[in-house]
Amino acid sequence: MKSTTIPLQKLCTAFVLTVALLITGMQAVFAAPATPAVPANAPQGTLVIIGGGLRADNAEVWQRIVALAGGKGARIAVMASASINPEKSGASIIAKLNQYGADAFFVPLGVKLANSDYRKAAEDPAIVTQIKSASGIYFAGGDQGRITQALLRPDGSRTAALEAIWSVYRNGGVIAGSSAGAAIMSTTMFYDARPVLDMLKMGVTDGREIAPGLGFIGSDVFVDQHLLVRGRFARMIPVMLKKGYHIGLGIDENSAMIVDAKRDVEVIGYSGALLIDLSGAISDRGVKNFNISNAAISYLDRGDKFNLITKVFTPSPDKADNKLDPNQPDMREPVFTNDILGNNAVLDLMGNLIDNAQQEAIGIAFGNPRDPYPDLGFEFRFSKTVNSVGYSSTEAEAYSVLKLRLDIRPIQLRQPLYRYK
């Protein structure tokens, strides 16, 4: 038998190639995961999510809606289904949109619309054609339950009118909504909501406090509105826990979040938005009442941007070069409020903490002595971590605040809470 001898040079070459392949494979295994991409079939349009109370002179928001719909002469379908008086509400919104250059028109579809069968209207081919002719849709405020009642069939499926709205959005159109029109943007919306504190005390129930929304923003983000002026950030958290959301966005009044096809969020208007991240949060099931630890809360000010996929934050131009130095804080006094659910209280507390030598701030929430469970209150503890970042505006007294830790736990209040002297 003839023996075969492999030259040493070839053996060395094969060895080197084998090692290289092994290293390449290991690098592939241990490499950082690729940045998530926008799904190929994702809608190509843009959302304008308005927190309610949009003033006629807020040109920044109105003009952006018109521009996203195509600019001067853009056809925008006005859906006033949420209103108690759709005709009056619709006429007001049409006048404002047209003032800023649109060619807006009223869609005669609503539970409260006089002399109209809303179920037939939602399947009417003429109305469907009318909606599809638009490059933008505007949902008015009111009661969000009236919107879903008008646009969803009793079995929960989409009516022909709603499919037409989705067609506008998928093909690059803009979907704008204020107040109730903002609430429908996520797959879950508040429906017949109790006061914020009562929801912390008694929880939320499907079909009562919450119900299905229309889900334009996707299934992974929860949306709320009228946020800062009504202290609603606290009611978002029990809903997010119940329905499995990790990310929540709450927009304030006279302000808007622009969410584009790349899932970039831009805040415009008068105020800002709160971003709540529960991806690392936990609850102690051994504690009877609502509680949560290690939630992250951020405040996105007007002009700020945040990408929902990459989680990258971009400060507004007036803050870009003014990142706060934690070693040189502007304040040193303790930060505390006994009404964390009050008008803008959470924003004031977060701003006062991020530029402070103090490492934590505390807010308390409690109700009227005649409310249910008067001895039950909640402590909201905001803490700075190594990931907390702040930016200050060079033009106004305004902050952007990123990644404060938030812990909420129940507390027992002594009764009576106070005595007359």
Side-chain angles (χ1 to χ4, degrees):
M1 180 181 294
K2 184 178 179 181
S3 63
T4 303
T5 304
I6 301 175
L8 180 61
Q9 184 178 0
K10 289 186 177 182
L11 282 173
C12 291
T13 301
F15 177 76
V16 170
L17 286 172
T18 302
V19 171
L21 288 171
L22 286 170
I23 291 173
T24 302
M26 291 174 68
Q27 286 175 337
V29 171
F30 293 106
T35 301
V38 177
N41 60 347
Q44 296 305 300
T46 305
L47 303 176
V48 181
I49 306 173
I50 307 159
L54 181 60
R55 292 180 173 271
D57 62 357
N58 193 332
E60 184 179 19
V61 176
W62 290 109
Q63 287 175 349
R64 184 67 74 87
I65 295 169
V66 175
L68 289 168
K72 187 174 177 60
R75 295 276 289 164
I76 300 179
V78 174
M79 308 283 300
S81 311
S83 176
I84 193 71
N85 188 335
E87 297 95 331
K88 182 178 179 181
S89 175
S92 175
I93 292 165
I94 288 169
K96 292 172 186 174
L97 287 167
N98 290 349
Q99 176 187 340
Y100 289 96
D103 178 16
F105 61 92
F106 181 70
V107 178
L109 173 58
V111 177
K112 295 293 183 179
L113 196 64
N115 304 315
S116 174
D117 183 337
Y118 70 91
R119 295 209 183 279
K120 287 184 179 179
E123 310 291 353
D124 187 341
I127 288 180
V128 169
T129 299
Q130 192 180 29
I131 293 171
K132 286 185 175 180
S133 74
S135 54
I137 312 290
Y138 188 102
F139 285 97
D143 180 347
Q144 52 263 36
R146 295 190 192 118
I147 299 176
T148 54
Q149 186 178 353
L151 290 174
L152 292 174
R153 298 185 181 114
D155 64 359
S157 62
R158 297 174 183 173
T159 61
L162 181 54
E163 287 289 5
I165 292 168
W166 270 96
S167 177
V168 171
Y169 180 39
R170 282 193 295 266
N171 293 323
V174 58
I175 307 290
S178 179
S179 189
I184 62 167
M185 294 288 180
S186 49
T187 52
T188 301
M189 68 180 191
F190 282 105
Y191 180 62
D192 186 16
R194 296 190 184 105
V196 177
L197 188 59
D198 287 352
M199 279 190 277
L200 292 179
K201 290 182 178 183
M202 294 178 276
V204 292
T205 305
D206 277 312
R208 184 177 298 171
E209 288 80 24
I210 55 175
L214 299 184
F216 295 117
I217 200 170
S219 60
D220 57 337
V221 179
F222 180 68
V223 173
D224 202 4
Q225 24 72 33
H226 293 284
L227 204 82
L228 297 172
V229 297
R230 301 188 186 182
R232 286 183 169 179
F233 77 98
R235 77 177 192 172
M236 294 175 64
I237 299 174
V239 176
M240 291 171 65
L241 284 173
K242 182 178 181 66
K243 304 301 289 186
Y245 292 97
H246 284 174
I247 297 293
L249 286 170
I251 183 67
D252 198 26
E253 292 185 358
N254 202 24
S255 310
M257 298 182 292
I258 312 296
V259 186
D260 66 17
K262 296 180 180 178
R263 308 207 81 191
D264 280 317
V265 179
E266 178 187 1
V267 180
I268 66 172
Y270 175 75
S271 183
L274 284 180
L275 168 68
I276 296 175
D277 185 345
L278 301 187
S279 57
I282 57 173
S283 294
D284 185 349
R285 296 185 179 181
V287 176
K288 178 181 178 182
N289 300 109
F290 174 79
N291 68 93
I292 194 167
S293 299
N294 201 38
I297 185 168
S298 303
Y299 173 68
L300 311 180
D301 195 29
R302 56 184 297 179
D304 292 343
K305 296 181 180 180
F306 180 82
N307 187 276
L308 293 169
I309 298 175
T310 64
K311 306 297 189 289
V312 172
F313 170 80
T314 305
S316 59
D318 60 313
K319 300 190 191 79
D321 298 322
N322 210 26
K323 185 176 180 180
L324 297 177
D325 184 349
N327 297 315
Q328 295 183 323
D330 189 52
M331 294 170 278
R332 297 189 176 276
E333 64 272 15
V335 186
F336 172 81
T337 177
N338 60 3
D339 186 15
I340 190 63
L341 303 181
N343 184 347
N344 279 310
V346 65
L347 175 57
D348 292 341
L349 183 144
M350 292 173 68
N352 287 333
L353 176 60
I354 198 64
D355 198 13
N356 201 312
Q358 304 291 331
Q359 293 302 301
E360 65 179 25
I362 292 176
I364 301 296
F366 55 88
N368 188 302
R370 295 179 178 84
D371 286 346
Y373 312 105
D375 61 341
L376 176 60
F378 294 88
E379 177 196 79
F380 292 69
R381 187 178 296 265
F382 298 77
S383 309
K384 286 188 282 191
T385 71
V386 293
N387 297 316
S388 301
V389 181
Y391 293 85
S392 177
S393 172
T394 56
E395 300 173 359
E397 189 176 341
Y399 294 97
S400 300
V401 183
L402 301 180
K403 297 182 180 179
L404 291 178
R405 172 175 169 148
L406 173 60
D407 301 300
I408 306 173
R409 63 180 180 181
I411 56 174
Q412 184 174 9
L413 301 168
R414 294 181 179 177
Q415 296 296 325
L417 197 58
Y418 58 85
R419 301 177 187 274
Y420 293 105
K421 297 186 71 174

